[in-house]
Amino acid sequence: MRQKSYQDIRALVLARIHAQIWPPGARIPGEADLAAEFGCARATVNRALRELAEAGLIERRRKAGTRVAVNPVRKATLELPVVRLEVEGRGETYDHKLLLRETETPPDHVRARMNLPAGVRLLHLKTLHMADACPYMFEDRWLNRRTATGIDAADLNRISANEWLVQNVPFSGGDIAFFAAAASGDEAGALNIAPETAIFVVERTTWRGLDPVTATRLAYAPGYRMTTRI
Amino acid sequence: MRQKSYQDIRALVLARIHAQIWPPGARIPGEADLAAEFGCARATVNRALRELAEAGLIERRRKAGTRVAVNPVRKATLELPVVRLEVEGRGETYDHKLLLRETETPPDHVRARMNLPAGVRLLHLKTLHMADACPYMFEDRWLNRRTATGIDAADLNRISANEWLVQNVPFSGGDIAFFAAAASGDEAGALNIAPETAIFVVERTTWRGLDPVTATRLAYAPGYRMTTRI
DNA sequence: AAGTGGTCTAGACCACTCC
DNA sequence: GAGTGGTCTAGACCACTTA
């Protein structure tokens, strides 16, 4: 190892934390000291430590220095791909059916999530996503035409609303919730399962600036597991 | 704005993507060009673009250049704090009860998850976590004494195994799965709910190098929602 | 073969925060 | 006030990948 990379430094620091040479709560040397010890530039040490801080393993504050986290808040990163790619990525055949496409007045809880005034009318879509011809996920979506402009011209039988939005309406942020629920009659019917079956649900609201774009409830067929590594 | 920061550059690039000046799939100028245009060093542009790439908004490849992602794979970051801090963070009072602490032979599915040989014996713990004296989450945990050394000396009535491990056994990685399930008799009894109720479950296996540390199944009381923003 | 991103260096100034 | 991390610059070399 002639020249040390930031990944080398990161690994060296991590090893010392794991070996408890620097136990939880302990202060570790400053960037300049570590740079001198490891024989590299301070910028290299900075990048290594910055990544460890982003991962929650150390805590950094100006003047106070860098400390090993006492309660490392592990951060798991979930990837939220377009449904079609998620299914195809597992080697299965994707298909979808548009079950409903109507302009309606949304129920209050949807209106509240989207922070819209009473009386507003939205585009309501229900889509069943399939993997190898089996029900995979049932999507109940409300769309704001003011931000999702062009949706009325889209052929949602060819491309799902999910995918159309990702490709055509860049959004600035969103709120996501994951929870378990008993399948509603609607969901049970679409997924072809008994009502009240435990299903995994994802609710997402996305925004473009301060304007709501869409609110969705994704009900996954029983057996679905969302996985990741840390 | 006298001197531009990497955050400024990131915002400028993001704005052009949102405005579709650089539509999905389009190639954007090279780092050197952008640095010249924005009047900053290439390293500054590099950091801005690197962060956008980590967020999944653009794709970068040497020689091929940088392109706006066609199907942005949005990444959601979930924080997995110690249960006590999660409860206290919401202003509620935390408490826990150790319901079981026995050395047992684990069932096959646990043994397989931990990649251990047949016949191994593990420490089996069952803990009920409470928020404001109400059942919050039921934890069923299997521990490998070879990696979780010192666990036998810990007073698990004072500090939960969850917290003891975080503070005493640094781990290198883990697998996590989130899904919905019907409450088992065990879980329903501990959480004081009807069997078969839909509950949110997190299964986690953690490793220290190639050696398993612990395998847990966390069953949350009905109503629990795991939330984040993107 | 050559273009493009990936990274390192050395030095500098600055912002924040603790004492 | 002073110590520490946060960031920018200018230049350089290198690694990867595609044309």
Side-chain angles (χ1 to χ4, degrees):
Chain A
M1 192 187 299
R2 172 157 230 78
Q3 180 176 252
K4 290 200 170 78
S5 71
Y6 76 93
Q7 303 177 51
D8 297 328
I9 307 297
R10 192 181 55 193
L12 287 168
V13 171
L14 199 49
R16 293 194 186 176
I17 292 174
H18 283 170
Q20 312 242 354
I21 292 170
W22 295 328
R27 179 161 171 190
I28 76 179
E31 294 189 350
D33 295 334
L34 289 175
E37 180 190 342
F38 294 135
C40 65
R42 182 164 80 94
T44 305
V45 173
N46 179 273
R47 175 151 183 198
L49 295 186
R50 174 158 38 90
E51 293 198 354
L52 290 173
E54 279 167 8
L57 290 165
I58 60 178
E59 291 169 357
R60 321 194 72 194
R61 284 199 328 269
R62 282 159 158 148
K63 169 76 174 173
T66 300
R67 290 180 179 281
V68 179
V70 176
N71 284 304
V73 176
R74 299 307 291 240
K75 284 160 184 149
T77 301
L78 290 176
E79 302 204 341
L80 307 167
V82 162
V83 188
R84 177 176 65 79
L85 296 178
E86 184 180 346
V87 169
E88 291 178 352
R90 299 201 317 229
E92 300 178 341
T93 303
Y94 172 78
D95 195 13
H96 75 275
K97 284 184 197 164
L98 183 61
L99 304 178
L100 175 82
R101 179 181 191 152
E102 295 290 342
T103 298
E104 299 175 359
T105 300
D108 283 347
H109 70 274
V110 169
R111 204 170 47 67
R113 268 169 66 196
M114 299 179 77
N115 196 26
L116 287 169
V120 72
R121 289 176 69 78
L122 302 173
L123 180 59
H124 189 193
L125 301 174
K126 292 186 182 179
T127 309
L128 179 64
H129 299 266
M130 328 252 285
D132 280 349
C134 292
Y136 180 77
M137 185 264 280
F138 173 67
E139 170 189 313
D140 188 334
R141 181 185 296 271
W142 293 85
L143 266 160
N144 180 3
R145 281 203 179 79
R146 299 180 70 89
T147 43
T149 50
I151 185 72
D152 290 305
D155 180 357
L156 298 181
N157 289 299
R158 287 201 55 223
I159 181 172
S160 75
N162 177 304
E163 197 160 351
W164 186 89
L165 278 170
V166 164
Q167 293 178 6
N168 293 277
V169 184
F171 59 96
S172 56
D175 312 295
I176 309 186
F178 307 91
F179 55 96
S184 67
D186 222 22
E187 291 161 347
L191 295 173
N192 197 27
I193 56 177
E196 305 301 315
T197 304
I199 54 171
F200 185 77
V201 178
V202 179
E203 279 190 0
R204 193 179 344 183
T205 307
T206 60
W207 307 81
R208 183 166 186 174
L210 294 175
D211 302 315
V213 176
T214 183
T216 59
R217 178 183 166 104
L218 311 179
Y220 285 85
Y224 179 80
R225 294 163 68 93
M226 179 170 268
T227 62
T228 189
R229 324 197 78 223
I230 55 175
Chain B
M1 193 189 298
R2 172 155 228 82
Q3 180 176 249
K4 290 201 170 77
S5 71
Y6 76 93
Q7 302 177 49
D8 297 328
I9 307 298
R10 192 181 55 194
L12 286 167
V13 172
L14 199 49
R16 292 195 187 175
I17 293 174
H18 282 169
Q20 312 245 350
I21 291 169
W22 294 328
R27 180 162 171 188
I28 76 180
E31 294 189 351
D33 296 333
L34 289 175
E37 179 190 343
F38 294 134
C40 65
R42 184 164 80 93
T44 305
V45 173
N46 179 274
R47 176 151 183 200
L49 295 186
R50 174 157 37 89
E51 294 198 355
L52 290 173
E54 279 168 8
L57 290 165
I58 59 178
E59 290 169 357
R60 321 193 72 196
R61 285 202 324 273
R62 282 160 159 149
K63 169 73 174 177
T66 300
R67 291 180 178 281
V68 179
V70 177
N71 285 305
V73 175
R74 300 305 293 238
K75 283 158 185 150
T77 302
L78 291 177
E79 302 203 341
L80 307 167
V82 164
V83 187
R84 177 176 65 79
L85 295 178
E86 183 180 347
V87 168
E88 291 178 350
R90 299 201 317 229
E92 301 179 340
T93 304
Y94 173 78
D95 194 15
H96 75 276
K97 285 184 198 164
L98 183 60
L99 305 178
L100 175 83
R101 178 179 191 154
E102 295 290 343
T103 298
E104 299 176 358
T105 301
D108 283 347
H109 70 274
V110 169
R111 205 171 46 69
R113 267 168 67 195
M114 298 179 78
N115 196 27
L116 287 169
V120 72
R121 289 175 70 77
L122 302 173
L123 180 58
H124 189 192
L125 301 173
K126 292 186 183 180
T127 309
L128 178 64
H129 299 266
M130 328 252 285
D132 278 350
C134 292
Y136 179 77
M137 186 264 280
F138 173 68
E139 169 189 314
D140 189 334
R141 180 185 296 272
W142 293 86
L143 267 160
N144 180 4
R145 281 202 179 79
R146 301 180 69 90
T147 42
T149 50
I151 186 72
D152 289 305
D155 179 359
L156 298 181
N157 288 298
R158 285 200 57 223
I159 181 172
S160 75
N162 177 303
E163 197 160 353
W164 186 89
L165 278 169
V166 164
Q167 293 177 7
N168 294 277
V169 185
F171 59 95
S172 57
D175 313 295
I176 308 185
F178 306 92
F179 56 96
S184 67
D186 223 21
E187 291 161 346
L191 294 172
N192 196 26
I193 57 176
E196 306 300 315
T197 304
I199 53 171
F200 185 76
V201 179
V202 179
E203 278 190 0
R204 194 179 341 184
T205 307
T206 60
W207 307 81
R208 184 166 185 174
L210 294 175
D211 302 315
V213 176
T214 182
T216 59
R217 177 183 167 103
L218 311 179
Y220 285 85
Y224 179 79
R225 294 162 68 93
M226 179 170 266
T227 62
T228 190
R229 323 196 78 221
I230 55 175

